[in-house]
Amino acid sequence: MTAFQGNIQPIGLKPSVQQALGEHLLSCYPREACGILLGAAAAGGMRINTYVPIRNVAPDPLHAFTPHPEDWVKALYLEPAPIGLFHSHPHSAPTPSLSDLRGLPALGPEFHVYLIGAPGTDTNIPLLNGYYIDRKRDAGGKLSLHLLQAPVYALLK
């Protein structure tokens, strides 16, 4: 669902999700925020309908995130099923870090979307980048994971 004739399909957010992501990111500052995205594949891309914040229990929450185990397990059983992960970079651009890329194998195949947010520098509007989790197996069967940047937009409805 990520590519259509070589084009990366957009990730659409309900306005309430966009607002919830921004509020959670800013309320956790200067610590990293994290949460689960619920939604589904839709015509023309993915649609995120719900955001579920999760407590960050990382030993160094200023520079890392570790979802609270109880929150994480509860979120995995929500309906509709989780399709993505969100976290923030409070002190850097919302682009994947080496730690983010190393953590991808921990996400199950039901996770398709990866969103990273950061506080805006010139405005109070948070920055948000979206990525699809691309999973491929080589000829030997080894799985490789990559993030493909996708446009993110707020849905009108």
Side-chain angles (χ1 to χ4, degrees):
M1 174 46 81
T2 60
F4 179 73
Q5 297 180 350
N7 296 321
I8 302 294
Q9 296 297 301
I11 299 168
L13 307 174
K14 283 180 62 175
S16 60
V17 170
Q18 186 178 24
Q19 181 175 347
L21 290 172
E23 288 175 358
H24 189 217
L25 181 155
L26 295 173
S27 72
C28 289
Y29 185 84
R31 298 171 315 278
E32 288 198 20
C34 61
I36 295 286
L37 305 164
L38 308 178
M46 297 294 268
R47 179 184 174 110
I48 308 300
N49 298 318
T50 306
Y51 173 63
V52 179
I54 292 181
R55 293 174 282 175
N56 180 359
V57 295
D60 181 11
L62 297 177
H63 302 101
F65 76 96
T66 301
H68 188 285
E70 184 179 331
D71 294 354
W72 180 259
V73 170
K74 284 181 182 178
L76 291 178
Y77 289 97
L78 293 172
E79 291 292 332
I83 61 165
L85 179 73
F86 165 80
H87 81 280
S88 65
H89 286 182
H91 310 290
S92 63
T95 55
S97 67
L98 187 54
S99 293
D100 295 338
L101 297 174
R102 286 183 183 147
L104 288 176
L107 298 175
E110 65 277 7
F111 284 82
H112 302 284
V113 175
Y114 198 92
L115 299 181
I116 305 173
T121 53
D122 297 332
T123 67
N124 289 333
I125 300 171
L127 305 172
L128 184 65
N129 283 336
Y131 304 87
Y132 283 104
I133 301 171
D134 184 42
R135 294 172 173 86
K136 292 185 180 164
R137 292 203 181 272
D138 65 17
K142 183 179 178 186
L143 181 65
S144 66
L145 294 107
H146 305 279
L147 293 177
L148 304 174
Q149 189 162 10
V152 178
Y153 64 92
L155 300 165
L156 297 176
K157 293 184 187 183

